[in-house]
Amino acid sequence: MSAAGWMLVAAPVAALVLLTALLRPRAAGVVAPHRLGVVRAALLTGAFAVLTVEVLGALDALTLPAFALVWLLFVAGFAVAAGRRRDPGAPPAAVAGSRRAVLVGAAVGGPPADHPTLGAASGPPPADAPATVRGGVAALLTGWADRLTHLRRTATRGERLLAGTVLAVVLIELVVALLAEPNNFDSQTYHLPKVEHWVAQGSLEFWPTAIHRQVTIPPGAEYLLLHLRLFTGGDTLHNLVQWAAGIGCLLVATRITAQLGGGRRAQLVTAFLLATTPMVALQATSTQTDLVAAAWAACAATLVLDGLHRRAGLTDALALGAATGLTALTKTSGLIAVGPLLLLWGLAQLRLARRPAAGTADRAAPTGARQVARTVGGSLLVLLVAATVVGPFLARETAEFGHPLGPPRLRESIPMERHDPAAVLVNALRIGHTAFDTPLAPLRAGTASAIMDGSRAIGVDPQDRAITFGREVFPVPAWYPDEDRVAFPLAGALALVGAVVALARPRRVVPGRAGTLRAYAGVVVGAVVLHTAMIKWQPWGNRLLLYALVLAVPLAGLWVDVVLRRRAGAGRLSVAAGLVVTVLATSALAGVLALSYGFPRRLVGTGSVFTTGEWDTRFLRRPQWADEFRWAASAVRASDARRIGLVQQNDNWEYPWWLLLRDDDGRSPELVALQSVLPDRPPADPTSVDAIVCTGPRTQCARFVPAGWTIGYRDHVGYALPPNR
């Protein structure tokens, strides 16, 4: 990558830092204001990236110069604003001294472990801070440094161990993300090919294809990848989008824990459980999209919790709308949680609107109808912003397929087609079995058998196609650390217990915020129930639940913290606390094993990122295909073909062709589909191409090869050339 490319890649990072400094709240009483600044900055940067793609795509200008100009203007504008930003004031020196111990712990751990509340963990910098660092980026960086210093000085041994583990996991993930080439199965089929199509045609217009997911699946994460693709000219940094989303999930989950009343240890436990969950650790090094969706949904959740106790302003409504729109544009399943969260936010805002403003004695003063109208307007603004973000894609879907959710085959393959209580119960049990799977084969077989026998007893076929994706068969092993299906029994079990306790005995967890905790736990549990009633069971369904896991882990962190505070005697942990410590240690081991031996990216063993070549890494999912793709591509390149036809099936790999058939100067090849599942997008005529490349059965390929052409074929990959080539 060129020096100019590196500078452009730095633009989104610089924008995030500048916006965090600008959007970090200064008002007293805001929980973890630095993390809220990061949330706001991420949402604005994400919305800008999405709208940039939409606008430039509409202008047929998805090109490097256009993207470079837009980003440089974006960063320059906010750099000027950040340079002029100053805090409006500072607390009196006497107050600053007493508040500093709480303030400096907010970014990483909130208040000290023995601090009962979080209300003071906010506010402007100390009065004795130099004027040159009391605002803008300098204040932001100084604040983070102070908080890290305070954590290092005041943390217990256990807290240091938790924080150190999280940091080590994140850094190891970064190494893997940078060293490993993208090799996610779905990315080879449709995530990355759609990015290449956009680059090749310079617009977002749909194209003929045999793989409908290239145009029907929401493209939010791929929009972010498009920026990196244009900046770098390749996929070297593609894994960093999910890695950054993983960091975002950690920051937001810990802030949610703080908002629910958790202290530093509870927040560190939350981060620890989430970071060491194998599904999170593996996805953080991939080009899958589930962590991105989970991060946006978590942003919505933390903004909603802010709105439970204070009236939302313009910034809050804009941010919540952006979080909703980005979730919908990345993975619509995330709306299963965001929808109930928005309902909770709206009800809380209406309740607050009926209260008199601070210092107003008359309940009927300007707070009544005016505040209710303001709340309704804020809710409409949230929906308007969300529609602005996701609307253009939905409009294209509607124009192409007559429905905003795409063609019937998509709407019927994943959503449940039965909603009677018995079918929903069976679906929930199967999803739960896969999510909590363990390496204990007798346990897995026994519970699966009980679920299938029980479902038949209540008149439901456990393999009913109306509640089961495609032709898949329940059960499947899901304990192995594979990015697409690995279970999360430890974090899931702790989150389940935490949710039950939060609903039944919230005052035992956070006495001062029992209502907030119960409401949040109710929304999370409701989202999981809705998920099981709306999404069919599938072998890789665990990754579809990732958004719910991220939202639920704070409940686990709070409960674990309560258990660890209880002692059976002086200096001795209770039996429950000892069990929890054992689970935490096991979770750490699971995270380490996932990074070390996980699939398809690992540190050691066969397929290690340190010992496996680039091309072999890309084909770790299907190593037998690697030589076949190269063999066919070499023959086509030797023929000097310019326009190349594609023959493939819905789940075949297209992305390798985009890499192997590029021009010597790196320009995208002209690849056209000879099949199309889009009714209004006819495929190319086979006689109009210079060569044909195929994946799948030879018989399928032969149907599209003109008479007299020469066909070369191996087991899975083939090509065809005309007589004159």
Side-chain angles (χ1 to χ4, degrees):
M1 184 169 60
S2 66
W6 280 111
M7 292 178 62
L8 291 173
V9 168
V13 179
L16 189 63
V17 174
L18 292 169
L19 288 171
T20 300
L22 281 169
L23 300 176
R24 175 169 55 94
R26 265 62 171 180
V30 178
V31 177
H34 284 71
R35 278 172 280 178
L36 179 56
V38 174
V39 168
R40 291 174 173 177
L43 290 171
L44 179 53
T45 304
F48 170 78
V50 164
L51 294 178
T52 294
V53 173
E54 290 288 0
V55 172
L56 294 181
L59 299 174
D60 293 337
L62 298 180
T63 63
L64 176 58
F67 274 64
L69 176 61
V70 170
W71 271 106
L72 291 177
L73 291 175
F74 184 72
V75 173
F78 285 110
V80 172
R84 295 177 178 177
R85 178 75 181 264
R86 290 293 183 271
D87 282 327
V95 178
S98 62
R99 292 177 59 188
R100 185 171 178 82
V102 175
L103 176 63
V104 295
V108 177
D114 58 350
H115 200 280
T117 67
L118 292 167
S122 59
D128 57 353
T132 56
V133 298
R134 291 215 316 245
V137 177
L140 176 71
L141 299 178
T142 301
W144 281 105
D146 285 346
R147 285 157 176 79
L148 292 173
T149 300
H150 179 75
L151 175 65
R152 187 175 66 252
R153 291 176 177 175
T154 63
T156 65
R157 182 180 301 175
E159 290 172 342
R160 291 195 188 98
L161 182 60
L162 292 171
T165 302
V166 172
L167 180 61
V169 167
V170 168
L171 292 178
I172 293 173
E173 289 170 353
L174 176 60
V175 171
V176 176
L178 290 173
L179 291 180
E181 287 73 24
N183 61 0
N184 172 262
F185 194 102
D186 285 348
S187 296
Q188 306 273 25
T189 301
Y190 66 96
H191 290 311
L192 300 185
K194 70 170 67 172
V195 174
E196 296 300 326
H197 277 284
W198 295 333
V199 173
Q201 64 190 25
S203 73
L204 299 175
E205 183 180 0
F206 290 161
W207 52 89
T209 178
I211 304 174
H212 75 87
R213 290 173 293 173
Q214 291 183 359
V215 295
T216 58
I217 298 293
E222 291 89 338
Y223 280 0
L224 305 182
L225 290 176
L226 175 61
H227 292 262
L228 291 178
R229 168 65 176 84
L230 289 172
F231 291 163
T232 66
D235 57 19
T236 305
L237 302 181
H238 278 11
N239 291 333
L240 293 187
V241 170
Q242 281 261 107
W243 179 80
I247 299 294
C249 288
L250 294 177
L251 290 175
V252 181
T254 56
R255 183 171 192 263
I256 291 173
T257 306
Q259 290 173 289
L260 296 174
R264 183 169 67 193
R265 182 170 60 190
Q267 295 173 54
L268 287 172
V269 169
T270 297
F272 175 87
L273 286 173
L274 196 57
T276 56
T277 298
M279 176 68 77
V280 174
L282 291 170
Q283 285 229 9
T285 64
S286 81
T287 48
Q288 193 54 274
T289 63
D290 303 284
L291 267 181
V292 178
W296 297 137
C299 287
T302 194
L303 295 171
V304 166
L305 286 174
D306 281 338
L308 298 187
H309 301 289
R310 61 178 175 85
R311 293 172 188 165
L314 178 62
T315 299
D316 302 308
L318 292 174
L320 188 54
T324 303
L326 289 169
T327 301
L329 188 63
T330 304
K331 218 172 188 68
T332 51
S333 57
L335 293 178
I336 296 174
V338 174
L341 284 167
L342 290 179
L343 178 61
L344 178 64
W345 180 84
L347 294 174
Q349 288 295 301
L350 285 174
R351 176 177 57 84
L352 293 171
R354 298 178 64 85
R355 293 181 178 178
T360 304
D362 185 3
R363 195 173 187 83
T367 58
R370 184 181 302 175
Q371 290 297 334
V372 170
R374 179 182 174 186
T375 300
V376 173
S379 301
L380 293 176
L381 180 60
V382 170
L383 298 178
L384 177 61
V385 173
T388 301
V389 173
V390 72
F393 169 71
L394 296 182
R396 289 194 297 275
E397 289 286 295
T398 303
E400 190 74 31
F401 303 107
H403 195 286
L405 298 182
R409 65 184 300 176
L410 178 64
R411 303 197 305 270
E412 297 169 1
S413 61
I414 297 177
M416 288 274 285
E417 298 177 83
R418 287 182 58 179
H419 298 92
D420 55 286
V424 172
L425 174 61
V426 171
N427 195 54
L429 291 174
R430 296 183 306 164
I431 289 176
H433 179 274
T434 305
F436 290 92
D437 192 22
T438 71
L440 303 176
L443 177 62
R444 180 193 315 122
T447 53
S449 178
I451 290 172
M452 290 190 290
D453 291 343
S455 66
R456 295 188 186 98
I458 60 176
V460 178
D461 180 358
Q463 315 299 347
D464 186 351
R465 295 302 104 187
I467 62 174
T468 305
F469 180 87
R471 300 179 181 179
E472 305 300 328
V473 177
F474 173 84
V476 296
W479 62 269
Y480 183 79
D482 184 304
E483 66 173 355
D484 283 338
R485 62 175 64 188
V486 62
F488 32 82
L490 299 176
L494 291 176
L496 179 61
V497 173
V500 171
V501 174
L503 291 172
R505 306 287 292 275
R507 296 186 187 279
R508 295 182 61 182
V509 182
V510 283
R513 303 196 178 188
T516 300
L517 177 61
R518 178 174 282 168
Y520 180 79
V523 168
V524 172
V525 171
V528 174
V529 172
L530 284 174
H531 185 100
T532 61
M534 297 174 66
I535 306 295
K536 293 178 180 178
W537 175 88
Q538 47 194 287
W540 43 88
N542 288 340
R543 64 180 181 82
L544 302 184
L545 272 172
L546 194 54
Y547 74 93
L549 179 70
V550 171
L551 297 181
V553 165
L555 301 175
L558 290 167
W559 178 73
V560 168
D561 183 57
V562 170
V563 172
L564 293 177
R565 289 203 303 264
R566 295 180 179 177
R567 307 280 180 173
R572 290 190 297 126
L573 289 175
S574 66
V575 174
L579 181 60
V580 165
V581 170
T582 302
V583 172
L584 292 177
T586 306
S587 180
L589 178 61
V592 170
L593 291 177
L595 288 171
S596 300
Y597 296 98
F599 196 74
R601 291 165 302 281
R602 55 176 51 170
L603 292 174
V604 298
T606 303
S608 166
V609 294
F610 297 114
T611 60
T612 307
E614 172 189 350
W615 197 247
D616 292 330
T617 297
R618 294 182 185 278
F619 280 84
L620 282 174
R621 284 285 187 190
R622 296 291 186 272
Q624 67 274 20
W625 293 350
D627 289 338
E628 295 189 20
F629 268 94
R630 283 188 292 191
W631 162 76
S634 296
V636 171
R637 287 177 64 89
S639 72
D640 200 28
R642 292 288 180 258
R643 180 177 165 89
I644 303 164
L646 289 173
V647 176
Q648 55 196 356
Q649 284 70 55
N650 186 57
D651 210 29
N652 288 170
W653 289 11
E654 180 181 313
Y655 186 59
W657 298 126
W658 289 97
L659 299 177
L660 289 167
L661 297 175
R662 284 183 182 175
D663 293 343
D664 293 336
D665 58 3
R667 288 184 303 176
S668 299
E670 184 181 1
L671 296 179
V672 296
L674 302 185
Q675 311 140 280
S676 179
V677 294
L678 278 65
D680 297 328
R681 307 279 174 176
D685 186 339
T687 61
S688 70
V689 300
D690 302 325
I692 296 174
V693 291
C694 306
T695 50
R698 176 177 179 140
T699 54
Q700 292 293 324
C701 180
R703 293 172 49 204
F704 298 93
V705 176
W709 285 39
T710 301
I711 299 179
Y713 226 92
R714 292 191 176 178
D715 290 337
H716 179 73
V717 179
Y719 68 91
L721 295 173
N724 58 344
R725 292 183 182 272

